[in-house]
């Protein structure tokens, strides 16, 4: 059975029941393996593994941060000990092992990306995770670098047995033909990427969820709109500990965590994204739990702390 876009957009959330899960043993925290492309962290009874899909380099120009002078952006990078002529953009997915199931948070590029990407499965295997063992994929939003890893260039599915969870507002936006047709031809790339991945996807494996609902016990979603219409953060809660994957709420920590008022060029609703960034980063800094982001460099797991008008992201040692 293949997916019908209209039916999928209008369908209600179908969440896994508690009986779908079984207990898993607690694991000790691992040593720092970031140089190998992955990093484990124990969260209560769960294990979270940051896994790199690779890095691309882009020249730094005045358009990357919409509302700050290039000189100020360069100064922020220099303060962080980073190059000021370019950005090395990381792409970091996370595998959550919880109650005997493996969840992949976002998918990277697969074989559809630029040189330097498509490393997810190699790094998963280095981390001791068989890509075929993924039970479910949870998508933060439907930008291409987060979903292209669901389907190869030849059209085959990368995770043919896995349930794929998608935020309902994202599906409603990107699978709306009228919205796509009203968009200038040159700006339809995002719509086409979504259709490449999801047209013909088996309907039984696609589950829409309302941001703010739970995927499974201990795996929650958090509405974090602005970067895209239904952008969603994902949180793991176990044994009194918490990890939150913020997706693209803050695109690059040295810039957008440190300066949450700054707006990356990819934010679709910049003012809403700014408000979301302030609210979520502030709450996570106060809570003190583990935090990771899709464009956070390895080890990609750390904690937030308030620092003046913004925040510092302190990577795991």
């Amino acid at each position: 059975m293949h997916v019908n876009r209209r039916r999928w957009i209008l369908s209600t959330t179908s969440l896994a029941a508690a009986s779908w899960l079984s207990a898993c043993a607690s694991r000790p925290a691992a040593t720092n393996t970031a140089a190998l492309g992955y990093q484990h962290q124990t969260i209560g009874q769960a294990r979270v593994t940051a896994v790199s899909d690779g890095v691309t380099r882009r020249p730094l120009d005045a358009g990357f941060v919409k509302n700050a002078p290039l000189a100020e952006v360069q100064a922020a990078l220099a303060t962080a000990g980073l190059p000021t002529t370019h950005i090395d953009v990381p792409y970091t997915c996370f595998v959550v092992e919880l109650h005997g199931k493996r969840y992949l948070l976002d998918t990277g590029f697969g074989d559809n990306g630029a040189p330097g990407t498509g490393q997810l499965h190699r790094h998963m295997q280095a981390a001791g995770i068989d890509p075929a063992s993924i039970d479910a994929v949870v998508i933060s939003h439907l930008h291409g670098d987060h979903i292209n890893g669901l389907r190869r260039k030849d059209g085959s599915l990368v995770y043919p047995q896995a349930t794929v969870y998608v935020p309902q507002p994202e599906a409603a936006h990107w699978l709306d033909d009228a919205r796509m047709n009203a968009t200038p031809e040159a700006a339809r790339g995002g719509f086409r990427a979504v259709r490449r991945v999801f047209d013909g996807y088996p309907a039984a494996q696609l589950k829409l969820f309302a941001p703010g609902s739970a995927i499974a016990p201990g795996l929650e979603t958090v509405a974090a709109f602005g970067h895209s219409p239904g952008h969603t953060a994902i949180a793991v809660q176990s044994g009194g500990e918490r990890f939150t994957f913020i997706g693209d709420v803050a695109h690059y920590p040295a810039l957008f965590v440190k300066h949450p008022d700054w707006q990356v060029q990819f934010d679709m609703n910049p003012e809403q994204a700014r408000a979301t960034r302030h609210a979520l980063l502030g709450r996570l800094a106060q809570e003190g739990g583990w935090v990771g982001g899709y464009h956070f460099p390895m080890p990609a797991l750390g904690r937030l702390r308030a620092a003046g008008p913004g925040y510092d992201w302190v990577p795991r040692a």
Side-chain angles (χ1 to χ4, degrees):
M1 178 179 181
H2 294 302
V3 65
N4 178 296
R5 287 208 304 269
R6 296 182 185 277
R7 184 175 301 168
W8 185 41
I9 291 171
L10 296 174
S11 68
T12 57
T13 304
S14 175
L15 297 177
S19 60
W20 184 58
L21 305 173
S22 59
C24 70
S26 177
R27 302 173 179 87
T31 56
N32 194 310
T33 54
L36 303 178
Y38 70 90
Q39 182 62 59
H40 297 304
Q41 181 62 46
T42 298
I43 309 292
Q45 300 298 309
R47 184 171 75 164
V48 172
T49 305
V51 190
S52 172
D53 188 52
V55 178
T56 60
R57 176 167 292 184
R58 56 169 296 137
L60 178 64
D61 57 35
F64 185 68
V65 181
K66 290 182 177 181
N67 61 338
L70 179 58
E72 290 186 18
V73 175
Q74 291 174 317
L77 291 170
T79 298
L82 295 169
T84 61
T85 58
H86 63 268
I87 300 283
D88 286 327
V89 181
Y91 305 91
T92 309
C93 304
F94 291 82
V95 175
V96 176
E97 296 173 82
L98 179 67
H99 301 315
K101 296 291 184 179
R102 279 179 170 159
Y103 302 85
L104 175 64
L105 312 186
D106 288 345
T107 69
F109 287 94
D111 63 356
N112 300 280
T117 66
Q119 304 299 310
L120 180 65
H121 283 190
R122 181 167 70 87
H123 292 147
M124 285 173 68
Q125 289 164 345
I129 300 169
D130 180 358
S133 71
I134 295 297
D135 296 288
V137 179
V138 187
I139 300 295
S140 65
H141 64 297
L142 296 183
H143 284 170
D145 54 330
H146 298 255
I147 62 170
N148 273 328
L150 284 171
R151 191 187 285 270
R152 299 181 184 90
K153 280 183 180 179
D154 65 8
S156 62
L157 302 184
V158 177
Y159 307 100
Q161 306 304 318
T163 303
V164 179
Y165 291 89
V166 174
Q168 192 278 335
E170 284 289 292
H173 176 89
W174 294 106
L175 292 171
D176 184 331
D177 288 339
R179 191 186 303 273
M180 181 180 74
N181 293 334
T183 301
E185 181 70 27
R188 294 182 186 176
F191 292 97
R192 293 193 187 98
V194 172
R195 282 157 176 74
R196 186 197 75 82
V197 171
F198 289 109
D199 276 359
Y201 212 98
Q205 290 173 238
L206 293 173
K207 307 293 182 184
L208 296 181
F209 67 86
S213 64
I215 298 295
L219 190 63
E220 305 165 358
T221 67
V222 181
F225 303 160
H227 177 70
S228 66
H231 185 278
T232 301
I234 303 156
V236 179
Q237 183 82 39
S238 178
E241 297 185 61
R242 190 174 179 89
F243 163 77
T244 303
F245 171 55
I246 67 170
D248 284 3
V249 167
H251 185 279
Y252 194 67
L255 299 179
F256 305 101
V257 171
K258 190 69 174 175
H259 302 274
D261 283 320
W262 287 2
Q263 299 164 345
V264 71
Q265 67 182 87
F266 309 113
D267 286 343
M268 296 176 65
N269 185 329
E271 282 304 310
Q272 187 181 34
R274 184 189 66 80
T276 293
R277 192 157 41 252
H278 272 284
L280 185 57
L281 297 184
R283 178 170 68 79
L284 295 178
Q286 186 174 36
E287 289 178 355
W290 293 97
V291 175
Y294 188 69
H295 297 293
F296 283 22
M298 295 299 293
L301 289 151
R303 300 185 191 271
L304 291 172
R305 65 186 181 195
Y311 304 89
D312 286 332
W313 179 70
V314 183
R316 179 192 188 283

